[in-house]
Amino acid sequence: FCLSRGLGDVYKRQMKGRKGTVYNGGIRVPFYIQYSEKFKESKVINKMSAHIDVLPTILELCNLNIPNDRKIDGQSLVPFINSKSTNDRFLFSYWTRRFPEKYINMSIQNDNYKLVGNNDFDSKIEEFELYDLVEDPNENNNIISQNIETARSFKKEMDNSIDDLLKSKNIKKKYNIDEMVKGDVIFCASGVTAVSYTHLTLPTSDL
């Protein structure tokens, strides 16, 4: 079970932001896993994860291989469940109703810090926001002025994620509805919603 962040200001526990932002009040949600045949004891795991981790987690639990003909962004959560250490990683978030714009409503985080961009494509590092997620999970205190080098390293990771995003065929490809074939997928609205035409036929006269 993974709750949507569509509750507005309800149940965000004083966290900064709301739906449509990349602060914790907009993206942090509860996530529950139940597999009683394999995991007998209940536990709380205080590690960062995302919806992209669900597929590789299910594949590992079912002893299936991850497809190697496409890029899978997530990672299995089974090591977390089994209390095994894993490599630190970064999670990139953005929200927009248009084409993603550099450093506007974007963030990059690991288990310790989050860098937030709410500025412009040519912004200086001092114009970003940096939060200590361990000491300040509600993101009340921007500590970037005291941690410029940490912010620079996070911005580098953000830039890598942005470059990867903009190389996506779903963003680069210009779709003509007359040429769409079975299985084509386009991105719309918030930039994270996919619409598939696999089982839909649209006569051009009705468009």
Side-chain angles (χ1 to χ4, degrees):
F1 172 78
C2 186
L3 182 68
S4 167
R5 186 64 267 173
L7 298 176
D9 290 326
V10 182
Y11 304 129
K12 67 175 192 174
R13 296 188 61 188
Q14 291 80 49
M15 291 187 292
K16 186 173 184 176
R18 58 179 300 172
K19 181 181 178 181
T21 74
V22 293
Y23 297 107
N24 275 353
I27 63 174
R28 185 172 179 177
V29 296
F31 179 40
Y32 301 91
I33 298 176
Q34 181 177 356
Y35 188 0
S36 54
E37 294 181 4
K38 188 173 182 66
F39 306 110
K40 303 297 183 183
E41 298 180 1
S42 298
K43 64 172 64 177
V44 176
I45 302 172
N46 229 351
K47 298 290 286 185
M48 179 180 66
S49 63
H51 62 289
I52 56 176
D53 299 326
V54 173
L55 173 61
T57 300
I58 292 175
L59 290 177
E60 181 168 351
L61 290 173
C62 295
N63 295 315
L64 298 173
N65 295 323
I66 293 178
N68 56 17
D69 62 342
R70 69 204 67 190
K71 182 178 180 180
I72 304 297
D73 293 314
Q75 67 179 35
S76 173
L77 301 177
V78 173
F80 293 150
I81 299 172
N82 289 328
S83 302
K84 295 181 180 179
S85 60
T86 59
N87 295 328
D88 191 18
R89 66 163 173 169
F90 291 88
L91 279 180
F92 172 69
S93 301
Y94 80 97
W95 194 95
T96 181
R97 290 192 181 278
R98 304 177 300 276
F99 191 88
E101 299 177 72
K102 203 168 188 179
Y103 309 143
I104 297 179
N105 206 15
M106 293 182 170
S107 72
I108 191 88
Q109 69 184 86
N110 62 13
D111 285 318
N112 299 314
Y113 296 98
K114 179 195 285 185
L115 183 73
V116 176
N118 270 319
N119 27 52
D120 208 349
F121 72 96
D122 59 351
S123 298
K124 297 178 181 179
I125 190 65
E126 294 82 3
E127 297 176 78
F128 287 75
E129 302 165 40
L130 184 69
Y131 297 99
D132 184 333
L133 297 179
V134 177
E135 299 295 330
D136 179 30
N138 293 339
E139 300 168 323
N140 292 319
N141 302 306
N142 180 9
I143 59 171
I144 196 163
S145 61
Q146 305 100 311
N147 298 272
I148 290 294
E149 291 309 311
T150 298
R152 291 187 196 281
S153 66
F154 273 63
K155 182 176 177 292
K156 183 177 180 180
E157 295 291 340
M158 179 182 284
D159 288 338
N160 291 339
S161 295
I162 294 171
D163 290 343
D164 192 40
L165 170 69
L166 296 181
K167 291 176 183 176
S168 167
K169 67 177 182 179
N170 298 302
I171 289 181
K172 294 176 68 174
K173 183 174 180 179
K174 294 182 178 180
Y175 281 89
N176 181 332
I177 197 69
D178 293 322
E179 297 175 354
M180 292 190 74
V181 295
K182 198 173 187 180
D184 270 350
V185 174
I186 62 172
F187 279 80
C188 67
S190 65
V192 295
T193 303
V195 179
S196 175
Y197 283 78
T198 303
H199 304 293
L200 179 62
T201 301
L202 293 177
T204 54
S205 58
D206 292 339
L207 297 178

